[in-house]
């Protein structure tokens, strides 16, 4: 078995992405689900955009905006912040590309909770953190686990976005999907099989429990 670093890098990226997205999406998903406001449909449409946008398009525009040749990239470069062709670039791209896989299930789960639950909480003058963490999350726990697993699995399978914004730097941006692509380019089918089989087993190991959670 050859170097497994691309697989470990994919796992690291997927865990970070799923965890950070959970933190970032929790309150916005709750707020959007429990409130009606003017920009709500616009926000949900923007969040869901990566579901239909080709990953190479998203990767291209991220590369353009974060490149040192662009205003934003040039501004960041003044502070020695580089967000292209490194692991940080992969994290940013993955957070955007996998956003709907975390936000949408949380939004749907929060929206499905009965209104009288929140009416009682308001009467008891419960704070928003109390309502979210002590009241809502235990009730939507299966949806939360499902969102985490789907976000993780989706990030594991990324190719176009990470290739555009991260390239292929060993130990830094060469994730499993890119390693498989390069193995095929070099007609190294043994290497491609090794990585693909391990990725298949990992993905199955994460997706199988999801079926049992859904049936609860």
């Amino acid at each position: 078995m050859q170097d497994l670093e691309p697989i470990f890098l994919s796992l690291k990226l997927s865990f970070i992405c799923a965890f950070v997205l959970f933190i970032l999406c929790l309150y916005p998903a709750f707020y959007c689900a429990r409130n009606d406001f003017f920009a709500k449909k616009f926000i949900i449409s923007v969040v869901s955009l990566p579901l239909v946008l080709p990953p190479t398009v998203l990767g291209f525009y991220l590369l353009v905006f974060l490149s040192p040749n662009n205003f934003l990239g040039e501004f960041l470069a003044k502070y020695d912040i580089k967000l292209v062709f490194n692991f940080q670039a992969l994290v940013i791209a993955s957070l955007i590309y996998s956003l709907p896989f975390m936000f949408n299930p949380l939004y749907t789960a929060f929206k499905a909770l009965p209104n009288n639950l929140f009416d009682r909480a308001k009467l008891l003058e419960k704070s928003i953190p109390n309502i979210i963490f002590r009241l809502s999350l235990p009730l939507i726990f299966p949806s939360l686990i499902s969102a985490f697993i789907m976000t993780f699995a989706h990030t594991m399978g990324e190719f176009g976005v990470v290739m555009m914004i991260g390239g292929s730097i060993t130990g830094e941006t060469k994730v499993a999907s890119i390693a498989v692509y390069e193995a095929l380019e070099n007609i190294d089918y043994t290497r491609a099989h090794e990585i693909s089989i391990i990725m298949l087993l990992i993905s199955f190991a994460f997706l199988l429990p999801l079926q049992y959670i859904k049936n609860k």
Side-chain angles (χ1 to χ4, degrees), residues 4-44:
L4 297 179
E5 192 170 43
I7 294 173
F8 291 132
L9 196 61
S10 287
L11 289 170
K12 177 182 174 182
L13 177 64
S14 299
F15 274 118
I16 291 174
C17 182
F19 179 76
V20 172
L21 279 178
F22 167 68
I23 301 299
L24 294 178
C25 290
L26 188 59
Y27 180 77
F30 177 82
Y31 184 84
C32 288
R34 307 312 310 176
N35 297 277
D36 286 318
F37 52 96
F38 176 73
K40 178 177 175 177
K41 291 183 179 179
F42 176 80
I43 291 172
I44 293 174

Side-chain angles (χ1 to χ4, degrees), residues 34-73:
R34 307 312 310 176
N35 297 277
D36 286 318
F37 52 96
F38 176 73
K40 178 177 175 177
K41 291 183 179 179
F42 176 80
I43 291 172
I44 293 174
S45 297
V46 170
V47 167
S48 300
L49 196 58
L51 291 173
V52 295
L53 192 67
T56 49
V57 172
L58 177 59
F60 169 71
Y61 279 112
L62 282 174
L63 185 61
V64 169
F65 287 127
L66 296 176
S67 168
N69 297 324
N70 186 273
F71 172 77
L72 178 58

Side-chain angles (χ1 to χ4, degrees), residues 43-188:
I43 291 172
I44 293 174
S45 297
V46 170
V47 167
S48 300
L49 196 58
L51 291 173
V52 295
L53 192 67
T56 49
V57 172
L58 177 59
F60 169 71
Y61 279 112
L62 282 174
L63 185 61
V64 169
F65 287 127
L66 296 176
S67 168
N69 297 324
N70 186 273
F71 172 77
L72 178 58
E74 186 179 0
F75 173 78
L76 293 172
K78 291 179 181 178
Y79 299 93
D80 293 324
I81 300 173
K82 182 184 177 184
L83 295 177
V84 291
F85 301 115
N86 55 26
F87 186 76
Q88 290 79 4
L90 297 191
V91 172
I92 291 173
S94 298
L95 290 177
I96 296 173
Y97 191 50
S98 295
L99 176 61
F101 289 85
M102 179 63 73
F103 181 91
N104 289 351
L106 291 179
Y107 170 81
T108 303
F110 282 133
K111 196 171 181 62
L113 293 175
N115 290 327
N116 62 349
L117 217 62
F118 300 96
D119 293 336
R120 291 174 187 173
K122 288 177 182 177
L123 286 173
L124 294 172
E125 297 183 349
K126 297 290 185 182
S127 64
I128 294 298
N130 256 324
I131 292 173
I132 294 177
F133 288 98
R134 300 188 66 179
L135 177 64
S136 302
L137 284 188
L139 295 175
I140 68 161
F141 188 71
S143 297
L144 171 60
I145 297 300
S146 174
F148 192 92
I149 291 175
M150 291 305 297
T151 303
F152 177 92
H154 184 255
T155 306
M156 284 281 288
E158 288 178 17
F159 175 75
V161 172
V162 295
M163 173 62 88
M164 295 290 287
I165 195 71
S168 176
I169 304 171
T170 302
E172 183 78 12
T173 64
K174 187 191 284 189
V175 293
S177 57
I178 294 176
V180 171
Y181 174 77
E182 289 187 348
L184 289 174
E185 274 195 324
N186 296 326
I187 320 179
D188 188 352

Side-chain angles (χ1 to χ4, degrees), residues 198-210:
I198 294 173
M199 292 293 288
L200 176 63
L201 293 174
I202 291 173
S203 300
F204 183 75
F206 273 91
L207 291 176
L208 181 60
L210 190 59

